[in-house]
Amino acid sequence: MSQPLLFYALSLLAIVGAVGLLMFKHPMNAAMSFAVTLIALAGLYGLLSATLVFAIQLIVYAGAIMSLILFIIMFLNIQPDDLPDESGYWYYLAGGAAALTPLALLLLYGINSLSVTSTPEAPPGFGTIKEVGVVLFTDWLLPFEIVSILLLVALVGAVVLAGKREGGND
Amino acid sequence: MADLLALLPLIVTTAAAIVVMLVAGFSLFGREVMALLTTGLFMFCFFVQAATLVSMPFFPYQQTFGSMLAVSPFSGVAGLIILACGGFSALASQTYFGHNKGYVPEFYAMLLFAACGMLLLTMAAELITLFIALEIMSLAVYVLVGADRERLLRAEAVLKYLMLGAFSGGFFVMGAMFVYGGLGTTSFAGISRVLAESGLFTSPLATAGFLLILICFLFKIAAVPFHAWVVDVYDGAPLPVTGFMATAVKTAVFCALVNLLLTDGSLLSVWRDILWYLCVVTLFTGNLIALGQTNIKRMLAASGIVHSGYLLIAIISADVTGASRTVIGFYLAAYALATLGIFSALSTLSGNDEKRISFADFNGLAKVHPYSAAMITVFLLSMAGIPPTAGFMAKFYIITAAFSAGQLVLGVLGLISTILSIYYYVRLIAAMYFTTPEDDFAITGLALAPAGTAVLAVAVFGFSLYPLGW
């Protein structure tokens, strides 16, 4: 019975966090607001009995990635003077919202078309580490493996773009 | 075993990328040897791809790894184009970095990694695999664009490309999620099976999802109205990278788009009308942007938009049979030859820090370097679609396909766009031939790019003779 209530509460929290990310002027406040969204999303995954994704969302996104973002913001030591001039901010926001309204309406229409009643109950063991692992290493082995190439490219790319360079160009 | 054999080009390219990455990491070779090594590896991968393509003349739409990948003659040909683009870009880079700063050894590893992502993209037959392949390619290309940290122009280009590319990737993931929500599957085969049973419009969620996926593709091929990034990014990237982006990236993304849209006839028939309008807008907006440019790189970027428009004509007039894929493959190859050729020539002629890059900088080139000017002329004529070049045959096939598919208006609009485009191509030819030289066009250092340029110039003529079997 509490499930719909929890769902609405968590969804509201996620949306409030996302709006805060856009609205706060200082990056630190925006990042903290983003953390609220990530944690609320973890709660939503939990409601869907996706236990592994719930844990990963908390540990990796709300934990590791958020602290990396915070580290970077603190590293840059942003003062109020460094922030860009945002005088036309509301106009841009209004324009963007107006431009995206048709798309948002289409997506809402699409989601509303899903029949809620026919959704089957999750089978036992759904979303546990074992079940996800079995699916990942059988049906989804290829995408799982090519992610390693993606990570390799990202790693080398980060070194090229940010790494220390020695003297000349040759 | 046959499945693995079909994947051999991908495996070899990935291995080559890792080898070059290790060689770059240990700084074993200098700048020249790295370029030669990379070119050699690209040639080797090209021959592996060609051998795979020839030795399996009949591909029964092979399903590998739980239908995540599918190898077809079309993906094989796209792979050939991509690997050839990589090889010629490596040749051009060798010359380019002879008189430009910003060389890092990892540049060549990234070139191979990008090709590896593109090969995956051409074979992907499932939305999540497709997304990962798209990101491998995009990440590698971002690094290629921004590897030179000294110049602000590069930083601007990479920031714009990275931000907008990330957005379009987000659109794709969201679209894939909606498609899965609506149809219960992400594999192309599964999607076409569900669509055959129930039709697309029974699931608004999947319709919205396909729209988001289409937005991502249109962004990557720089179709109007998602073209705003292309001129600045192409302008900001180093010349060989611009050539690589304009040809290989476009080939890979078009191959993936065709694979998705032509899996099943109904998917294309739904989007045909929308694509029709987008295609017309793309053709003429691209021409308008190109007409106003004074910088050759920006003009070529804008003309890339127009060429995306021609390829969209081919997609719109396509049916599910193989013939339309042949036309698209031919156009991609012809366009790649001419574009790579001109970027290869520019890599040689642009001089230190890309100082010669506007139309006026090339005034009177024909009197100083007659052969270079002649080759640039050949490439420009091919892009404009003047016979007897490959570009003419490619445009001829596409317009014929449009007429035979009943798209008369689109075919005529394509012809008008071709006539418009002749102006900005011929403008450079006129500058090269009918003005007096102000510059001595001094070129420093031994260079491999002219060899590549010459090969491409011959290929532009040779390829136009290639018979298309239909």
Side-chain angles (χ1 to χ4, degrees), chain B residues 370-448:
Chain B
Y371 293 111
S372 296
M375 285 192 284
I376 292 180
T377 308
V378 167
F379 298 133
L380 287 171
L381 290 180
S382 178
M383 288 172 111
I386 310 283
T389 55
F392 166 72
M393 291 312 285
K395 284 210 174 74
F396 173 76
Y397 287 136
I398 279 193
I399 307 275
T400 325
F403 282 144
S404 58
Q407 301 281 358
L408 291 178
V409 181
L410 201 57
V412 172
L413 287 175
L415 280 176
I416 295 172
S417 151
T418 307
I419 294 163
L420 279 178
S421 73
I422 289 175
Y423 171 76
Y424 48 78
Y425 292 125
V426 171
R427 213 172 123 200
L428 179 57
I429 300 176
M432 289 191 303
Y433 278 91
F434 304 124
T435 46
T436 46
E438 297 149 9
D439 198 335
D440 57 351
F441 294 103
I443 302 163
T444 48
L446 170 85
L448 289 172

Side-chain angles (χ1 to χ4, degrees), chain A residues 103 106-107 109-111 113-114 139-140 142-143 146-147 149-150 152-154 156-157 160-163 165 169-170, chain B residues 21 31 65 68-69 101-104 106 110 113 126 129 132 135-136 139 143 146-147 149 178 186 204-205 208 211:
Chain A
L103 191 65
L106 176 68
L107 296 186
Y109 175 68
I111 289 170
S113 73
L114 276 183
D139 298 348
W140 296 90
L142 184 95
I146 59 175
V147 165
I149 305 177
L150 180 67
L152 191 60
V153 173
V156 179
V160 171
L161 287 184
R165 301 256 170 96
N169 285 294
D170 277 45
Chain B
M21 180 190 83
R31 191 166 49 76
F65 294 105
M68 303 271 164
L69 293 182
K101 290 181 184 137
Y103 166 75
V104 279
E106 286 84 2
M110 281 300 163
F113 273 122
E126 194 268 334
T129 314
I132 298 170
E135 288 303 303
I136 294 175
L139 278 184
V143 177
R149 294 185 310 207
F178 281 143
T186 53
L205 199 58
L211 181 68

Side-chain angles (χ1 to χ4, degrees), chain A residues 101-126:
Chain A
T101 306
L103 191 65
L105 286 177
L106 176 68
L107 296 186
L108 271 180
Y109 175 68
I111 289 170
N112 279 331
S113 73
L114 276 183
S115 58
V116 185
T117 47
S118 72
T119 314
E121 205 166 303
F126 174 83

